[in-house]
Each structure stands twice: as C-alpha cells, then as structure tokens.
Amino acid sequence: MAAIFEITDFSAPELDVYARLSENQLRNRADPKNGVFIAESPLVIERAMNSGCVPVSFLMEKRHIQGQGASILARCPDVPVYAADDAVLTQLTGFHLTRGMLCVMRRPQLPEVSQLCRNASRIAVLENIMNPTNIGAIFRSAAALGMDAVLLTSAGSDPLYRRAARVSMGTVFQIPWTYLPEGDWQEFLHSLGFRTAAMALRDNSLSIADPRLAAEKKLAVVLGTEGDGLADGTIAQCDYTVCIPMSHGVDSLNVAAASAVAFYQLGRLTGQ
C-alpha cells in the first residue's frame, strides 16, 4: 500500500516540484539524467508508466485514492502520495487539477535519431513549434494517423511539458520521438534515406494529394512554427514543397490542424 501524506504545510519542500519549480528546473538541463516532468490525469500517468517512465511521487485529491487513481497507486507501493481536497490542491498549485491527479516522473532517455528511424517509413519533423497545446495535438495526430516517429528541433516546446502531454492524451508516450541533431538535420535525414516534404505555401507547392508523395518509400513531413511557418532555408532544402488546397479565401490551417490532414494523406494508413 502506498504511503499517503495529507498536505498540511504548503511550504513543505516535497511539494516544491509541483508548485514552485520552473520547467527549466524540472528538466535540469545541467544534469539531464536527473531531470523530471509532471504528468497530469490518470490516463496520461498510466500511459507514461506503461512506456517505462518511473514515478517519483504523486499529488492528488483524496477522493481519487480509492477511485480513479487506485489502480495506478497499486502499481507503485513504494512511491509517496501527497493528498488533499480539491480546494487545497488548487491553492497549492495555482490551477485546477485535471481529473485530480499529478505525478512527478523521471525523464526517459531519448533514442538516437538513426536508431529511431531505422525501420521508419513516415516521420514528422517539427521545426521550432512553440505552443504546448499544438505540440500535444500534433503528437496525438501523428500517433493516430500512421506516422512512425516524431523529430523536433531543440528550440521547440517540450513534448513532456504538462499541458502538451495532457493534450496529447498521453500519446507522447506511445509514439517514438527525439530531438534532431544540431546543424544540417536535412542532410542527416537524407543520409538515412528520407525525402523531405515542407508543408508551406509557395508558387511551386505540390498538392498534398500528388501521387509522387505517397509513392515515396521514406518520407519526412516537415511542419513549421506558428505564425511564421518554416524558415525559407528549410523550405529550400526540402525535396518537396507541399500545400493543402484551401477554399473560401482561407490561406492556411493552424499547424496542429494541418498536421492531421498531412498525416492522414501521407502517413502509413494511406490506402488501407
């Protein structure tokens, strides 16, 4: 049975990680092996555990100890559980807990790009996408719509950020992902046999339905940051520039919506 500690002192150092540490402090960039992240909601926590992530502690509403969180706590008898009523937790954390449960977990070790892409035929590349909600939605679409992996530039938002993981419904733990190497990552992907397709509006953009795209054995779908989209240099280096046909005078979709269309059309599910 897990050890339950009722919260009576907001200043307890054990609660710093939930209420007083920044995202950079959680990630511990100076010592990444000891970095942590916070998973929110029983669904996300369970999917993280199923992927091998190791819990450090839990923060939850009392009513969930014997409710939604019971099966999770049963898997972690040696992990401390800090509990209180909802009003107390909201006062501590500054936000309402989705489904009343948080878990601090050790950050997993990420694979090398070459290892992750060894058997992949369709991958998503996210260049400098900053909004955690968009990151979460893109991961959910990538997992659902036939992508084998997601690669990110280091300037983008962290997929393990609490909101990103929650919006993804825990799929950040179900689809392989890692960060691209610094420098010319396109040349690196080309060396792994991938052709690259930039999602961008250009005079020479191909329709996303162009059969040449679906015929590629190994294709990387490249999506850019909110607002500005992909960098001009990135587009110039890509093998294809691809657009989603629009109507009613709309020029483009939000990057998360565009990713769903692109993954459905170009992912491994095409033709199934």
Side-chain angles (χ1 to χ4, degrees):
M1 178 66 182
I4 311 296
F5 301 93
E6 183 171 357
I7 297 172
T8 57
D9 182 2
F10 284 1
S11 66
E14 296 86 354
L15 302 178
D16 285 349
V17 67
Y18 293 104
R20 290 177 283 275
L21 296 189
S22 68
E23 283 297 315
N24 283 336
Q25 288 173 312
L26 293 174
R27 292 187 72 170
N28 196 359
R29 294 179 187 273
D31 186 13
K33 290 183 179 180
N34 287 316
V36 296
F37 68 95
I38 298 177
E40 182 180 358
S41 88
L43 174 64
V44 173
I45 294 168
E46 187 166 38
R47 287 182 171 172
M49 290 172 59
N50 290 344
S51 75
C53 294
V54 179
V56 176
S57 68
F58 294 96
L59 177 67
M60 60 193 302
E61 290 183 55
K62 290 179 182 178
R63 64 191 179 94
H64 290 313
I65 293 173
Q66 302 298 329
Q68 292 184 2
S71 61
I72 293 174
L73 299 184
R75 296 172 58 178
C76 311
D78 299 322
V79 177
V81 178
Y82 302 100
D85 294 328
D86 176 63
V88 175
L89 294 183
T90 300
Q91 186 178 352
L92 171 66
T93 61
F95 57 86
H96 176 72
L97 271 62
T98 297
R99 298 188 182 272
M101 190 173 189
L102 299 176
C103 179
V104 175
M105 310 186 96
R106 298 289 180 195
R107 292 186 69 92
Q109 183 174 354
L110 296 177
E112 297 291 331
V113 175
S114 55
Q115 174 193 345
L116 185 148
C117 292
R118 184 171 295 126
N119 298 315
S121 62
R122 291 292 185 270
I123 60 175
V125 175
L126 311 186
E127 182 182 71
N128 302 345
I129 295 179
M130 300 300 299
N131 187 300
T133 298
N134 284 336
I135 289 286
I138 292 169
F139 264 81
R140 188 175 182 184
S141 293
L145 298 174
M147 307 306 286
D148 296 307
V150 179
L151 305 179
L152 306 96
T153 57
S154 59
S157 184
D158 179 14
L160 297 184
Y161 179 67
R162 180 177 58 84
R163 189 189 311 158
R166 173 166 54 82
V167 170
S168 83
M169 298 294 287
T171 55
V172 294
F173 306 107
Q174 294 178 302
I175 184 169
W177 64 274
T178 194
Y179 288 101
L180 288 158
E182 298 296 330
D184 191 347
W185 54 263
Q186 289 220 47
E187 181 179 349
F188 185 71
L189 290 182
H190 285 140
S191 74
L192 297 177
F194 283 90
R195 302 269 279 174
T196 52
M199 299 299 300
L201 293 172
R202 291 292 188 272
D203 291 339
N204 64 342
S205 293
L206 298 178
S207 167
I208 197 170
D210 191 296
R212 286 172 288 182
L213 299 168
E216 290 288 355
K217 291 184 178 180
K218 296 171 78 73
L219 186 67
V221 180
V222 187
L223 297 135
T225 186
E226 301 85 353
D228 294 334
L230 290 168
D232 289 339
T234 299
I235 297 171
Q237 283 187 279
C238 281
D239 300 295
Y240 299 102
T241 305
V242 181
C243 69
I244 300 169
M246 299 280 131
S247 65
H248 296 292
V250 178
D251 60 356
S252 65
L253 297 173
N254 165 275
V255 65
S259 74
V261 176
F263 299 159
Y264 178 78
Q265 181 67 36
L266 302 175
R268 290 185 296 106
L269 300 182
T270 301
Q272 293 185 10

